[in-house]
Amino acid sequence: MDIWSTLNDTFLDWGSMKAVLPEMLKVGLVNTLILAAASVVLGTLLGMIVAVLALSRKRWLRWPAKIYTDIFRGLPAILTILLIGQGLSPITRHWWGPNPYPLGILALSLIAAAYIGEIFRSGIQSVEKGQLEAARALGFSYTSGMRLVVIPQGVRRVLPALVNQFIALVKESSLVYFLGLLASQRELFRIGQDAAATNGNLSPLLLAGIFYLVITVPLTHLVNYFDKRLREGRPTDESGKQDVVLKELAHADHR
Amino acid sequence: MPTIAENNTVAAEGYAAASLEVTGIELAFGTNKVLRGVDLAVPAGRTACVIGPSGSGKSTLLRAVNRLIEPDAGDVKLGGESVLKGNPDELRRRIGMVFQHFNLFPHKTVLENITLPLRKIKKLGPEEARTAALEQLELVGLSNKAPARPGNLSGGQQQRVAIARALAMKPEVMLFDEATSALDPELVKGVLGLMADLAQAGMTMVVVTHEMGFAREVADQVAFMDHGVVVESGVPEQIFTAAESPRLRQFLSQVL
């Protein structure tokens, strides 16, 4: 069939996949993981700060957080990445040269922080008022009550949403390619795209896609795991453990 | 001796209870005046029960006493000293509070619920805090639940833990805000028994309650609140059998 052989040539050219595989593993995967992990860490830290500011009782702290969130959630990611990545590079050039990586990570983190801030805020706000009241009645200050009692509970509740945001970051890390990367800095998408252009078929991009799935699909299952644990509760004491045993027995019966 | 008490738990504890005196407390949420000049004096080691219809300001009064909500006017004296000027966090360390919905920290174990404030506020070491917490759990009869999460306990057990958590801080006064209202009927007695024991052991207590039996048997004095003021107060005998104000008589006819 003509159509099949065309599709086969376009997507399943094993030769070009095999040729790009080592680079994909050693350069692309590593760089994607570095970009994603760095912006997950930085984005989560910034997001927590944004959330705490947004929940502040002082208006002059709340407002900047809200404006920040509106801006970075409202702009297309690619536009933010170009504005920050290219726009700030004449300034940062003095510190780390023309390397686009730090600014790319910064841009990704700033975007992520807007979303993560909202996730944390909704989680923290969902914690019953009585929790802070009880902490305060024991003599905790507002700050330590939030830090030790309210925020840990709020964060637990939004773990699924948080991991979803991490998945989005893994995918968005491909956008730093627009900042122009050195050969050694290329991430999965860029390597796939370069190889696709050279070979005249899309098989290397398909391979890049598979690599993305290898990262994101386990994360999706992590979301489901957290979600399940949040709904069913974490087994901790004897009675809880017993519940787990009973459930496992029930599952065994089904098998 | 009150028949409600269990006499097997906290009675042996010595408490450094202080007197509590509330004078002319006023508090408004916006234009809604919730407290309009409340007076209440509880001598050290005595128990006052506050009764009254919903919305009469009973719970707000407790929150004004430990400044969870700052009163607009009036004074609160603990052990004869005015406490409205100083640091509210310091004040709350001297006053224990027990809530209708227990408000245990669900992400901590029962033991950690008690050790957390001991560690962070009293600055006890891990071992010291653990020992003190287990001692309190023993007093409320729940030392076997130390490693459990609050969510796996019955309401009555959770409230006992909440009382232990408050007592572990060695408060001078205990406030109870409808401590048994959220409990299943069969669990109420155990918690009330514990509270009665605590009263007998000489803790100064202010108990907001709908349990008239408890007020009658355990309280040294009963204050009836309505529309943000104490309408009538006196010894239980007088309140329950010789009420003077029509509003109190009407209230009692509805709840008894």
Side-chain angles (χ1 to χ4, degrees):
Chain A
M1 280 297 214
D2 202 26
I3 297 174
W4 288 121
S5 66
T6 309
L7 287 176
N8 204 34
D9 285 349
T10 310
F11 293 110
L12 298 174
D13 177 357
W14 303 115
S16 58
M17 281 197 198
K18 209 175 154 191
V20 78
L21 184 63
E23 206 178 16
M24 201 73 104
L25 267 173
K26 278 187 220 144
V27 182
L29 183 62
V30 171
N31 280 325
T32 292
L33 286 176
I34 289 173
L35 284 167
S39 21
V40 158
V41 172
L42 196 57
T44 305
L45 288 176
L46 287 172
M48 182 50 84
I49 294 170
V50 171
V52 169
L53 291 181
L55 288 169
S56 166
R57 289 174 296 180
K58 297 187 180 76
R59 187 182 303 185
W60 56 275
L61 288 174
R62 273 201 316 268
W63 271 90
K66 289 200 188 304
I67 291 169
Y68 174 89
T69 307
D70 281 349
I71 291 177
F72 283 92
R73 269 202 317 186
L75 290 175
I78 182 66
L79 192 132
T80 308
I81 289 170
L82 281 177
L83 283 181
I84 289 172
Q86 291 186 352
L88 297 186
S89 113
I91 302 165
T92 58
R93 191 178 288 268
H94 300 296
W95 304 325
W96 50 67
N99 183 357
Y101 245 58
L103 285 177
I105 289 169
L106 178 68
L108 285 171
S109 305
L110 289 174
I111 298 165
Y115 289 95
I116 292 173
E118 281 297 279
I119 292 172
F120 279 147
R121 186 189 55 75
S122 67
I124 293 167
Q125 269 182 332
S126 77
V127 176
E128 298 73 22
K129 294 268 175 292
Q131 290 291 310
L132 182 63
E133 198 174 41
R136 301 225 64 187
L138 285 164
F140 285 106
S141 66
Y142 174 82
T143 314
S144 9
M146 288 298 280
R147 187 169 55 84
L148 295 166
V149 175
V150 179
I151 291 176
Q153 291 181 56
V155 168
R156 249 161 253 237
R157 292 180 193 189
V158 295
L159 278 179
L162 202 60
V163 180
N164 272 328
Q165 199 54 47
F166 295 166
I167 292 172
L169 263 179
V170 171
K171 296 184 287 181
E172 279 175 11
S173 69
S174 60
L175 293 173
V176 299
Y177 127 87
F178 281 96
L179 296 178
L181 300 169
L182 298 175
S184 64
Q185 293 173 330
R186 294 179 303 166
E187 35 65 64
L188 288 171
F189 169 73
R190 178 65 195 272
I191 287 178
Q193 218 226 3
D194 285 355
T198 324
N199 293 313
N201 73 71
L202 294 178
S203 305
L205 267 181
L206 187 73
L207 185 65
I210 291 168
F211 271 101
Y212 277 110
L213 291 177
V214 165
I215 306 172
T216 54
V217 170
L219 283 175
T220 319
H221 286 276
L222 188 65
V223 174
N224 296 340
Y225 167 74
F226 279 139
D227 212 29
K228 192 161 176 258
R229 204 179 71 171
L230 281 171
R231 267 185 282 111
E232 295 177 5
R234 177 165 50 164
T236 49
D237 66 337
E238 312 89 83
S239 60
K241 271 178 193 139
Q242 199 179 6
D243 281 349
V244 172
V245 173
L246 288 175
K247 264 179 219 145
E248 278 168 2
L249 285 175
H251 279 297
D253 279 348
H254 286 300
R255 282 175 217 135
Chain B
M1 178 190 299
T3 54
I4 217 165
E6 299 183 330
N7 290 315
N8 55 0
T9 54
V10 296
E13 276 286 285
Y15 294 103
S19 65
L20 177 72
E21 200 180 337
V22 175
T23 43
I25 285 288
E26 289 176 31
L27 196 155
F29 297 121
T31 56
N32 179 20
K33 285 197 168 183
V34 182
L35 301 178
R36 308 155 179 260
V38 177
D39 300 313
L40 184 70
V42 191
R46 297 304 173 88
T47 295
C49 279
V50 181
I51 60 172
S54 301
S56 56
K58 308 182 297 290
S59 294
T60 309
L61 173 64
L62 293 187
R63 284 163 176 76
V65 166
N66 70 357
R67 296 173 65 190
L68 279 176
I69 310 172
E70 292 285 352
D72 301 322
D75 199 6
V76 176
K77 284 180 178 165
L78 191 60
E81 271 179 60
S82 181
V83 291
L84 288 188
K85 289 280 185 293
N87 179 344
D89 296 336
E90 306 272 337
L91 169 65
R92 292 190 204 107
R93 285 162 205 182
R94 302 169 61 192
I95 302 181
M97 186 164 185
V98 176
F99 299 87
Q100 183 178 355
H101 296 288
F102 333 131
N103 298 357
L104 293 177
F105 307 139
H107 62 304
K108 304 274 181 195
T109 65
V110 164
L111 187 72
E112 287 165 349
N113 261 275
I114 306 175
T115 54
L116 183 75
L118 290 177
R119 302 274 327 266
K120 302 287 176 178
I121 295 171
K122 293 258 178 188
K123 308 286 180 201
L124 298 189
E127 271 313 304
E128 252 182 314
R130 193 187 144 79
T131 311
L134 284 172
E135 205 172 285
Q136 290 300 327
L137 279 177
E138 181 79 44
L139 288 176
V140 300
L142 288 173
S143 31
N144 60 327
K145 295 292 180 187
R149 299 254 165 195
N152 293 322
L153 267 56
S154 76
Q157 291 171 333
Q158 289 190 51
Q159 195 60 296
R160 285 163 167 265
V161 173
I163 293 171
R165 179 172 73 176
L167 288 177
M169 299 297 285
K170 303 283 175 208
E172 296 161 51
V173 171
M174 284 286 286
L175 310 175
F176 292 85
D177 185 16
E178 301 194 16
T180 58
S181 296
L183 295 178
D184 291 337
E186 75 272 18
L187 303 174
V188 169
K189 198 166 161 260
V191 172
L192 289 182
L194 175 59
M195 289 163 64
D197 289 345
L198 191 56
Q200 279 226 305
M203 174 59 78
T204 310
M205 307 189 359
V206 181
V207 181
V208 167
T209 186
H210 291 297
E211 296 287 336
M212 295 305 145
F214 180 86
R216 197 192 284 250
E217 286 184 30
V218 180
D220 296 294
Q221 75 185 82
V222 177
F224 169 68
M225 273 185 80
D226 195 19
H227 290 108
V229 291
V230 174
V231 176
E232 190 170 340
S233 74
V235 294
E237 178 79 9
Q238 179 202 329
I239 293 290
F240 288 107
T241 59
E244 282 168 16
S245 79
R247 273 197 278 176
L248 173 55
R249 281 206 294 269
Q250 193 203 352
F251 174 74
L252 290 175
S253 73
Q254 282 164 350
V255 297
L256 289 180

